[in-house]
Amino acid sequence: IANQRGPVTLSQVAGDLELPVSTVHRLLGSLLERGYVEQAASNRQYKVGIRFIELASQYLRSLELRTEAVPFLRELNRRGGHPAMMATLMDDQIVYIERLDEQGTNLRNYSFIGQRRPLYSTGLGKALMMGQPKKKRDELIARLKLVRKTATTITDPERLKAELDLSLERGFTRDNEEETLGFRCLAAPIRDYRNQVIAAVSTSWLKDFF
C-alpha cells in the first residue's frame, strides 16, 4: 500500500500479494483496527494509516538520537565501567535502542537492543515517566499492571507516584533490584529542544559491586 501512488482496492492488494481476497480482507481488518492502514468511506480503498507514519517517525528520530548519543554513552561506559543503555517509550513499555558494554562485563546478557521491559520496575522506565506532564503520568500509571518481579518491586500506584516525584527533585531515577534480582540501575531522561523527554539513558551494575 505504501508503495502505491494513491489508495488501493482490496482486489489490488490481494493481486499484488498473490493471496486470496478473504485472507487479505482479514489481514487488512487487523491493520485497520490498529491504525496501520485507513479506509476511505466513499470508495472503501486503502491507504497508509497514521500509526504506520508514527512508527516510521519514531524510527527515524531514534536513528538521529542514537548518532548524537553514542559519544556520551561511550563516555559514561568508560567512566563507570558498566553498561550504558538508552531506551525510548513505546506502547507503555520501554524499548532499548542502544547499549554499550565494557569489555568482559558480566552484564552482557541483561538486555539487548529492541527488547522491551516494563516502565514501573526499571530505571529507564521511571525516567521516561517522570518527564511526562503530571496528568499524563497519572493516566499512564493507571493503565499499567503493576506486577511484582522481586521483593522490592513497587506495586502500589501511589508509592510509584511518590517515587517519581522524588526522582523529579533529584533529577534521576533508580532501579533497586525491582526488575531483576541482583541488578541495580540509575537512569536520567533525555530532553529535546522543547524540553520534552524523548528517551532515557542508564547504567547498571551487579548489587555486590557497591
Side-chain angles (χ1 to χ4, degrees):
I1 293 173
N3 289 331
Q4 305 305 315
R5 292 187 175 181
V8 295
T9 64
L10 172 62
S11 59
Q12 283 179 287
V13 178
D16 288 344
L17 296 178
E18 298 181 351
L19 290 172
V21 171
S22 59
T23 300
V24 174
H25 184 266
R26 186 174 66 254
L27 294 172
L28 286 173
S30 296
L31 293 172
L32 274 169
E33 183 181 346
R34 291 164 173 79
Y36 291 105
V37 299
E38 296 176 358
Q39 191 175 31
S42 57
N43 54 21
R44 302 186 67 79
Q45 291 185 326
Y46 298 89
K47 62 180 181 179
V48 171
I50 190 69
R51 179 61 176 155
F52 180 86
I53 298 171
E54 179 187 348
L55 286 178
S57 298
Q58 289 179 345
Y59 175 71
L60 291 173
R61 187 177 66 181
S62 71
L63 288 180
E64 181 180 355
L65 177 62
R66 288 173 67 185
T67 300
E68 296 292 332
V70 161
F72 298 97
L73 292 173
R74 188 175 293 119
E75 180 66 9
L76 176 61
N77 174 236
R78 184 189 68 79
R79 288 190 181 190
H82 304 292
M85 291 161 283
M86 184 167 63
T88 189
L89 179 66
M90 183 176 290
D91 299 329
D92 292 351
Q93 293 180 305
I94 71 165
V95 56
Y96 293 105
I97 58 176
E98 188 54 270
R99 173 186 174 117
L100 292 179
D101 289 298
E102 181 71 13
Q103 198 70 19
T105 178
N106 48 11
L107 295 178
R108 293 186 66 86
N109 295 321
Y110 175 61
S111 57
F112 54 86
I113 295 175
Q115 183 181 28
R116 295 192 184 199
R117 288 191 182 273
L119 287 170
Y120 67 95
S121 58
T122 59
L124 285 165
K126 292 177 190 175
L128 289 167
M129 282 196 291
M130 86 180 213
Q132 306 298 325
K134 188 177 187 308
K135 181 179 178 182
K136 186 175 180 180
R137 189 167 70 237
D138 289 347
E139 292 173 350
L140 184 57
I141 292 174
R143 291 199 303 267
L144 297 177
K145 186 177 181 180
L146 306 182
V147 178
R148 183 172 299 282
K149 303 293 189 69
T150 71
T152 57
T153 304
I154 298 175
T155 57
D156 176 59
E158 294 306 315
R159 187 182 164 202
L160 180 56
K161 292 177 185 179
E163 175 72 14
L164 293 177
D165 288 339
L166 176 60
S167 298
L168 275 169
E169 291 180 12
R170 66 191 177 199
F172 64 90
T173 60
R174 62 180 184 178
D175 166 7
N176 182 26
E177 299 184 82
E178 296 164 51
E179 172 65 17
T180 304
L181 197 64
F183 291 89
R184 287 177 173 167
C185 165
L186 292 179
I190 300 173
R191 299 179 184 271
D192 65 7
Y193 67 96
R194 300 163 298 176
N195 202 36
Q196 294 182 2
V197 173
I198 56 173
V201 62
S202 74
T203 186
S204 299
W205 63 90
L206 283 172
K207 172 186 173 182
D208 295 336
F209 185 81
F210 65 82

